[in-house]
Amino acid sequence: MKKLRTPPSARLLRRWLALPMMGLLALAGCVTAPTRMAAPGDLGQTAEVLDVGTRAKGTGLFAAEDFQVGPYQVSHVKRGWGSSEGLSLGPFSNKTHKQGFQYRFKGQRDWDGSCEFRTKEQGLKIGVRLENNKATLSCSCQHGDQDARLELKDEWKPLEGRMHVGGAEYRMSQIAERRTQNGMVVEQSLQSPALGYRVDSLRGGGLAAVEVLHPGRIWQHRQLPAEQREPMACLLAGLMLYGPQDGR
């Protein structure tokens, strides 16, 4: 009895059809889960997590950037304004640049939020060019005469700042990716890729944190005073809008 053979044309067809599937399987094996910031160790078991609802990845003048974080709503995001000034006198140069955005934060009260990013570049050319560049990020949330604010300066190494909420002062720091360039660790700055920021008491001990990678989330210590939770969440939402600075 003769064994039936598959015609060559049919065998070739099966091989061609199998190639795309093999490629997809190989690609699936290479895909890794997107990076997410883990809860800081001292907050993981003691914090309430405010997850973000549906949030578009787009940012900019014409993007819809409304989103919900926990019980709060972020809306009316307006970007696009900025200003630049410069002065050059002989070997000395001085440039400043400002840009920012505004947003509305709704909880039990409505807060008007805004953030401004400022850079100052100073240069002196004496054979070689010496530069002294500084950047500052400041955010504020206001409801009537109530005001909460933060300021981060990358002249501090590592990057640090302060937050003021309801008469209380807290210390802030950046949680940055560890990256190297030519074998040297890249210093943290307000324009370097960041995972998020954390808020600590001046004596030490985590009180809150924010993940700025999309979609983002907020952690707040359950013992944080109730009257401070909402304005602090408003400020941390501003940092989410400022983002990780590397397009993610």
Side-chain angles (χ1 to χ4, degrees):
M1 182 177 179
K2 291 185 178 181
K3 186 183 291 186
L4 295 176
R5 293 185 178 181
T6 304
S9 58
R11 290 200 301 270
L12 288 173
L13 179 61
R14 285 204 299 267
R15 289 178 184 175
W16 279 106
L17 291 175
L19 284 175
M21 183 60 68
M22 292 170 64
L24 289 174
L25 291 174
L27 183 61
C30 297
V31 172
T32 58
T35 303
R36 293 297 304 269
M37 173 179 146
D42 52 351
L43 279 173
Q45 303 299 321
T46 58
E48 178 186 2
V49 182
L50 307 181
D51 287 313
V52 172
T54 303
R55 182 184 179 193
K57 276 195 171 184
T59 60
L61 188 59
F62 300 105
E65 297 190 66
D66 296 6
F67 64 91
Q68 190 164 0
V69 51
Y72 309 117
Q73 180 69 37
V74 178
S75 63
H76 297 80
V77 180
K78 296 180 180 179
R79 299 183 185 267
W81 61 267
S83 63
S84 297
E85 296 178 357
L87 172 67
S88 294
L89 185 62
F92 177 77
S93 63
N94 185 12
K95 297 179 181 179
T96 60
H97 179 70
K98 299 179 182 180
Q99 61 184 21
F101 57 87
Q102 300 173 332
Y103 59 99
R104 180 72 54 82
F105 187 88
K106 182 176 180 59
Q108 293 183 349
R109 292 162 289 181
D110 290 341
W111 297 84
D112 292 320
S114 64
C115 291
E116 182 182 80
F117 176 69
R118 303 185 299 275
T119 59
K120 186 175 183 180
E121 303 175 6
Q122 293 179 322
L124 180 63
K125 190 172 182 179
I126 46 176
V128 295
R129 181 173 177 79
L130 303 177
E131 294 184 345
N132 180 23
N133 301 331
K134 298 179 181 179
T136 302
L137 175 67
S138 57
C139 296
S140 68
C141 287
Q142 294 182 318
H143 170 79
D145 58 355
Q146 297 181 28
D147 176 78
R149 64 189 187 280
L150 66 82
E151 186 174 77
L152 288 156
K153 295 183 177 182
D154 67 6
E155 63 184 288
W156 304 107
K157 304 297 181 186
L159 187 149
E160 284 191 4
R162 290 291 187 267
M163 175 184 285
H164 299 266
V165 183
E169 181 180 3
Y170 301 115
R171 181 170 60 87
M172 295 194 66
S173 56
Q174 184 188 60
I175 301 174
E177 295 184 39
R178 184 179 177 85
R179 295 195 176 185
T180 60
Q181 185 176 5
N182 299 324
M184 302 293 291
V185 177
V186 178
E187 289 186 339
Q188 294 173 258
S189 76
L190 285 167
Q191 293 177 290
S192 65
L195 301 176
Y197 300 83
R198 61 175 291 152
V199 182
D200 296 270
S201 69
L202 296 181
R203 295 181 178 180
L207 295 175
V210 58
E211 176 190 37
V212 299
L213 297 175
H214 188 274
R217 54 188 156 183
I218 292 173
W219 294 268
Q220 288 187 321
H221 200 294
R222 291 187 176 90
Q223 293 184 356
L224 193 68
E227 66 274 12
Q228 294 185 20
R229 300 174 70 86
E230 189 169 287
M232 183 180 288
C234 177
L235 291 173
L236 296 178
L239 292 177
M240 292 169 64
L241 291 168
Y242 177 70
Q245 299 305 298
D246 65 349
R248 286 182 292 166

